[in-house]
Amino acid sequence: MRKRHLARLAVLAVVMSMATGGGAGATAPPSAGDFDRDDFYYSHHNHAHAQHGPATGHLPATQSNVDVVGKLQLTTEEGDISDVSALKAPNGRTYAYVGNWGAKCESGGVHVVDITDPANPVGVKFLTSPGFGYVTEGVHALNITTSAYSGDILVISNEWCRAASNPKNNPGGITIFDINNPVNPKPLVTAFGDFDLHGTRANESHSAIAWDAGSRAFVAAIDNEEVEDVDLFEITNPRSPRLLAETSLAGVHVDGFGELKTSHDFDVLRFPNGTWHLMVSDWDAGWVDVDVTNPARPRILRDSDYATCDQVVPTACPPEGNAHQGEWTSTGRAFIGTDEDFDSYRTNPLTRVTGPNAPEEYTTVGVGGAPVTVLPDKRLNGPVAYGGYGCPNGSTPIPAADSIFPPGSLETGEEQIVVLQRGPANDPNNPEGACFPGEKADNATDQGWDAVILTGRHLGSAGADEPPNCGFGAFPTDELIATVCTTHTAMHELFGRTPDYTVPYPVGDPGDLEPNIGEIGFEVDITARFDGWGYTRVLDSRAREVSQITIPGTADEAFGIGFGDLTVHEVEVPRNDPAEGGANVDTDKLAYFSWYSGGLRVVDISDPANPTEVGHYIDPAGNNFWGVALTENGAGGRLVLGSDRDYGLFIFRYTGAIPS
């Protein structure tokens, strides 16, 4: 769902000004000779990195009304740092909590950083995730006062990078720490969640948010593994949480491109009338406002709808979707929502151009790797060959490309294309463990293949295969791999087989339902078109879209590749939150954005229908901002924290005027 771009460029003079409402602001586009597409890298939450090279792979340095107060390097790995939160401790010192995604498996956790002197932040503790666990978007420090607990807690969500027989090595759900002494946090509960699916371990969780509702406290967490993907827990006694409810938020409109409904993140707010609202970022379903005044009985109030065609890139019909995260203003008058779209190109349907009933089209979705536009003719075409599951060290190795399509056997402009299936899973013929799509693609290029078509796995029915899901992650950082994800149906029909979705898959493959390793199939043709980068949408209290926030390059194909990830990720809206220092002059006036390669962005939202950029920062070495959080310095002034995936923690101060 969340893809990546990167490329090597020459230094360009780019004027960094914000465009709002209608599209990207005026910039000087690069000439055709300013970047080399062969140096372009694109993957899924796995940055390569020229990103922090001297002046390549990112936008040029820029700064307006934003000062860097301090920073702390927390990693030397690419794509290692995730989300950030902050809280003043009982000892009067302020600490930042910075997630570590584990660029190398087994290295995930949370960095605890003392930022009391923001010019000199100091790392004081690392909370190591158990087993193969890591931490992504659920990093939330807050104070709760309930009937069973009073004090500061840190709530994190858990995912893992490698399957293990011991469930303790695959933590899911949520973990809660007592952080009253941040230098020596105490675990209150570890990897608690929804145990319905596995029994011995909780389902993985990508994000979590907590709130103190008075005498009781609660957590909402994403459930990565079930259709009921919003889990609601009571943590009134955080040592003994309990699952109250789980819901799929059924019945909302799914009208973004790809029609993928999957919850991703949350915001929670007590409205002036006393009701509690959980706004769920539900990807192609947009944002869903859920009444959680009684979390045991969540009730959908309304959901947002995407327009027929995108307001910023009018040729994108329907809009990309990808509702990722967002925050309300203090009264719920407006909601600022971020669409996370890392693929500035939209892959057209895969067309089978030979074989029965040709031409036949199959749905495609992004998965990582490079879009087909990186190929010399911006087109992936030619006959395909089957490579099985394609996992490194699997029982059925991918054949060498030249052994299937010898040099000179293809037409000019055609690629050596291998088809690899997701998994293995529920396939007794291949009992080994599954692997990431990036590992499959990397393995394929090691065997000389030019491009990879990934397909979904057998899921019991054709309906479960739409839209296709090929997994994500682990694309290599040192090479370009044109990669497309399509359906399990396509996998069968590209090789003249009747589609089969049986789970578990039949032992021995009776009737030769699946193609054989090395078998040559029909010819395909796949193209793509520019549809812009992910940006921000502003909604009113009825979840109706009233404006958009973009940055230069959002809707300009000249910035489609070569400048890093020009998509937004997260937003923080100051609204008197005690965890952020309480009331401040910027409450409901400004919004602060982590915009990946677009840097830190500050926007005037005092008139939600007419937002305007008032500040920005991009480091001379480039940035890759994932998270953004708010806190105060010792004198009550606003500080803004940015977590850079390839570096660590940045601490900023906005120096511009506060809107009236």
Side-chain angles (χ1 to χ4, degrees):
M1 292 183 292
R2 301 164 294 276
K3 305 92 171 171
R4 287 284 184 279
H5 272 101
L6 178 69
R8 195 173 303 160
L9 333 166
V11 178
L12 300 173
V14 180
V15 179
M16 300 306 299
S17 60
M18 176 68 72
T20 60
T27 57
S31 68
D34 280 329
F35 59 85
D36 182 353
R37 289 182 181 271
D38 290 338
D39 286 332
F40 163 82
Y41 168 77
Y42 170 100
S43 81
H44 182 124
H45 270 183
N46 253 55
H47 250 89
H49 280 295
Q51 183 74 29
H52 287 120
T56 58
H58 56 76
L59 293 168
T62 184
Q63 184 173 5
S64 174
N65 291 334
V66 174
D67 286 347
V68 177
V69 179
K71 59 183 180 178
L72 179 65
Q73 185 168 4
L74 297 173
T75 185
T76 58
E77 300 291 334
E78 299 152 354
D80 198 26
I81 299 299
S82 60
D83 218 345
V84 61
S85 185
L87 189 66
K88 180 176 284 189
N91 64 7
R93 305 187 71 83
T94 302
Y95 296 84
Y97 300 87
V98 185
N100 188 292
W101 202 353
K104 293 184 177 179
C105 196
E106 303 176 47
S107 65
V110 178
H111 299 270
V112 183
V113 181
D114 187 334
I115 60 171
T116 308
D117 178 1
N120 297 286
V122 178
V124 296
K125 187 74 174 179
F126 185 74
L127 306 176
T128 304
S129 294
F132 305 136
Y134 58 84
V135 177
T136 48
E137 299 190 0
V139 180
H140 190 190
L142 73 159
N143 179 274
I144 64 171
T145 301
T146 71
S147 57
Y149 182 92
S150 180
D152 294 348
I153 61 171
L154 175 69
V155 178
I156 63 173
S157 58
N158 301 302
E159 297 178 288
W160 43 268
C161 57
R162 183 187 308 160
S165 57
N166 182 350
K168 292 183 178 180
N169 286 330
N170 294 147
I174 59 172
T175 292
I176 306 176
F177 289 93
D178 173 343
I179 55 170
N180 288 290
N181 179 4
V183 178
N184 188 26
K186 303 292 186 184
L188 298 172
V189 68
T190 301
F192 177 86
D194 183 352
F195 294 91
D196 290 348
L197 195 61
H198 303 286
T200 56
R201 70 165 177 84
N203 297 346
E204 287 186 89
S205 178
H206 186 71
S207 187
I209 193 169
W211 68 99
D212 182 344
S215 62
R216 302 170 71 189
F218 306 96
V219 168
I222 298 300
D223 186 325
N224 293 12
E225 301 184 57
E226 292 189 292
V227 173
E228 292 79 16
D229 57 0
V230 176
D231 292 341
L232 295 160
F233 304 97
E234 179 163 2
I235 60 164
T236 299
N237 180 356
R239 299 177 181 87
S240 182
R242 59 193 184 102
L243 177 63
L244 295 177
E246 49 186 319
T247 175
S248 65
L249 302 178
V252 299
H253 298 132
V254 185
D255 44 15
F257 176 69
E259 298 184 347
L260 177 60
K261 182 186 181 303
T262 178
S263 62
H264 193 89
D265 215 327
F266 310 102
D267 186 37
V268 66
L269 179 69
R270 186 180 185 184
F271 274 41
N273 65 2
T275 59
W276 284 91
H277 292 240
L278 183 75
M279 187 72 107
V280 182
S281 301
D282 209 16
W283 217 245
D284 292 338
W287 290 275
V288 185
D289 183 359
V290 183
D291 187 329
V292 289
T293 308
N294 178 3
R297 295 181 178 274
R299 182 170 61 93
I300 296 173
L301 299 175
R302 59 187 63 85
D303 67 301
S304 67
D305 289 322
Y306 287 106
T308 302
C309 292
D310 193 274
Q311 296 96 327
V312 173
V313 184
T315 56
C317 304
E320 185 67 24
N322 299 9
H324 169 266
Q325 186 261 347
E327 287 205 350
W328 268 295
T329 54
S330 64
T331 62
R333 174 190 174 212
F335 183 82
I336 317 298
T338 65
D339 276 354
E340 184 187 38
D341 177 19
F342 286 95
D343 191 348
S344 60
Y345 287 86
R346 180 174 299 185
T347 302
N348 293 320
L350 181 156
T351 301
R352 175 172 56 81
V353 297
T354 59
N357 303 313
E360 184 79 21
E361 288 190 348
Y362 304 91
T363 304
T364 61
V365 297
V367 65
V372 300
T373 49
V374 303
L375 297 169
D377 58 359
K378 300 184 181 182
R379 174 187 178 197
L380 178 60
N381 65 302
V384 299
Y386 188 62
Y389 289 104
C391 291
N393 304 313
S395 59
T396 52
I398 299 173
D402 285 352
S403 70
I404 308 299
F405 299 120
S409 63
L410 298 177
E411 299 292 332
T412 300
E414 292 183 339
E415 288 78 31
Q416 294 172 311
I417 308 168
V418 65
V419 175
L420 303 175
Q421 183 181 178
R422 185 178 184 184
N426 297 309
D427 186 352
N429 305 303
N430 292 271
E432 65 263 28
C435 63
F436 291 102
E439 294 178 286
K440 297 171 185 277
D442 191 29
N443 188 21
T445 57
D446 288 345
Q447 304 307 315
W449 294 93
D450 296 326
V452 179
I453 296 176
L454 297 168
T455 75
R457 56 179 176 237
H458 30 264
L459 292 170
S461 70
D465 192 34
E466 286 281 359
N469 187 344
C470 298
F472 62 88
F475 280 84
T477 61
D478 59 350
E479 64 179 314
L480 170 75
I481 307 174
T483 313
V484 173
C485 171
T486 190
T487 64
H488 189 76
T489 300
M491 187 203 75
H492 286 274
E493 294 187 352
L494 286 175
F495 296 92
R497 304 297 204 280
T498 300
D500 186 89
Y501 308 92
T502 307
V503 178
Y505 203 71
V507 176
D509 189 18
D512 196 28
L513 294 171
E514 292 202 346
N516 302 309
I517 302 296
E519 181 177 341
I520 297 175
F522 300 121
E523 295 185 8
V524 300
D525 190 12
I526 310 171
T527 58
R529 62 192 186 278
F530 180 76
D531 69 351
W533 295 98
Y535 58 89
T536 299
R537 301 175 187 274
V538 182
L539 311 179
D540 66 12
S541 60
R542 303 296 297 175
R544 297 170 299 194
E545 189 170 340
V546 296
S547 64
Q548 301 81 36
I549 302 170
T550 69
I551 66 171
T554 296
D556 187 343
E557 189 170 3
F559 292 88
I561 56 176
F563 296 88
D565 299 332
L566 300 186
T567 183
V568 68
H569 191 238
E570 294 187 352
V571 61
E572 279 286 326
V573 177
R575 58 185 192 205
N576 305 322
D577 187 344
E580 298 172 351
N584 211 311
V585 294
D586 55 357
T587 293
D588 292 340
K589 303 287 189 180
L590 299 175
Y592 303 88
F593 295 88
S594 51
W595 214 290
Y596 286 100
S597 299
L600 178 81
R601 299 281 165 162
V602 187
V603 178
D604 175 354
I605 58 165
S606 57
D607 178 1
N610 295 284
T612 305
E613 184 191 279
V614 292
H616 56 251
Y617 176 87
I618 298 177
D619 194 77
N623 285 117
N624 185 12
F625 285 124
W626 170 305
V628 59
L630 303 180
T631 187
E632 289 186 348
N633 61 20
R638 169 67 69 213
L639 293 176
V640 183
L641 310 182
S643 54
D644 186 300
R645 299 197 65 227
D646 309 321
Y647 179 83
L649 179 67
F650 279 73
I651 304 174
F652 298 104
R653 178 176 56 245
Y654 170 67
T655 60
I658 300 296
S660 58

